[in-house]
Amino acid sequence: MLIGLKTADIIEVDDKQSGSRSVLLVCGHGEGELWALSPHPIESMFATGSYDRNIAVWDMNNKGLVVRRDMGKAIRSISFHADGNLLAVGFQDGQISLVGFSKEKKELTEIDKTRERNAAIVCVRFSPNKKLLVASSNNCSIDFFNIQQNKLARVGYVTHIDDAVLQIDWATNSEYIR
């Protein structure tokens, strides 16, 4: 028997055996909007995050899910670190998390989190030198974090910007954002 869920998942259950386990056939983000998308810097994979509270990492070669984790709150932005083993996740409520990713273990592990703002984190980006994370929020501010020990230590911020900054990119020398 095939069952479609409101989360856009499709599962298969053997209706001939009592107590049989369900098998996930198709996985998707089902509730709310999907805003967060980031390509893996090395592998043919990408990560997504949605208002359904889930981070999902997808394999483009197999056209399927690698791993998914419920983060407990609506996700608005996501970005892979240049090494591919760390994700920055921005949430609708202003929280930012660092999440470890292991392809081999098929695991997503929250490492650290902070909440400096009370509005959606609309963009998160790691610097090319792998030392900083920048995050912009809907309340027209930008925060900078040192992430060298896999901890989010705020080292600076900018407020009173005329409008929310929706996309950020770093200069190749990691000295400027645009």
Side-chain angles (χ1 to χ4, degrees):
M1 175 175 17
L2 298 177
I3 302 170
L5 305 175
K6 78 175 188 173
T7 57
D9 295 345
I10 299 174
I11 60 172
E12 180 180 39
V13 178
D14 185 353
D15 61 347
K16 304 218 185 322
Q17 293 183 353
S18 174
S20 66
R21 294 195 171 261
S22 63
V23 177
L24 182 65
L25 298 177
V26 176
C27 175
H29 292 285
E31 294 180 41
E33 300 175 16
L34 187 144
W35 282 91
L37 171 68
S38 179
H40 193 281
I42 302 162
E43 304 277 342
S44 292
M45 294 189 283
F46 61 94
T48 56
S50 170
Y51 287 5
D52 71 357
R53 307 181 325 250
N54 286 295
I55 296 173
V57 178
W58 306 88
D59 186 317
M60 288 187 275
N61 294 327
N62 297 333
K63 296 180 176 71
L65 181 70
V66 175
V67 62
R68 175 170 62 176
R69 177 176 175 170
D70 186 337
M71 297 299 290
K73 56 179 82 181
I75 297 167
R76 182 63 191 268
S77 55
I78 196 164
S79 183
F80 265 110
H81 186 272
D83 294 337
N85 58 2
L86 187 66
L87 287 158
V89 181
F91 294 88
Q92 187 68 16
D93 71 352
Q95 179 180 308
I96 300 166
S97 290
L98 291 179
V99 177
F101 167 64
S102 171
K103 179 183 174 185
E104 293 76 26
K105 294 179 183 178
K106 296 185 176 184
E107 193 173 75
L108 291 165
T109 307
E110 188 170 53
I111 296 169
D112 195 25
K113 62 184 174 182
T114 187
R115 187 164 177 231
E116 306 293 338
R117 302 289 163 205
N118 61 3
I121 304 299
V122 294
C123 185
V124 286
R125 292 288 181 267
F126 290 103
S127 63
N129 68 6
K130 306 175 186 178
K131 296 178 182 179
L132 298 170
L133 174 74
V134 64
S136 65
S137 67
N138 262 351
N139 64 355
C140 305
S141 7
I142 297 174
D143 293 285
F144 297 87
F145 300 90
N146 182 322
I147 51 120
Q148 291 184 63
Q149 274 74 46
N150 283 341
K151 298 280 184 200
L152 288 161
R154 189 165 76 165
V155 294
Y157 61 91
V158 179
T159 59
H160 305 295
I161 301 169
D162 288 339
D163 205 353
V165 177
L166 301 179
Q167 292 293 326
I168 298 175
D169 188 24
W170 286 90
T172 55
N173 63 5
S174 300
E175 291 186 17
Y176 304 98
I177 60 169
R178 54 184 172 222

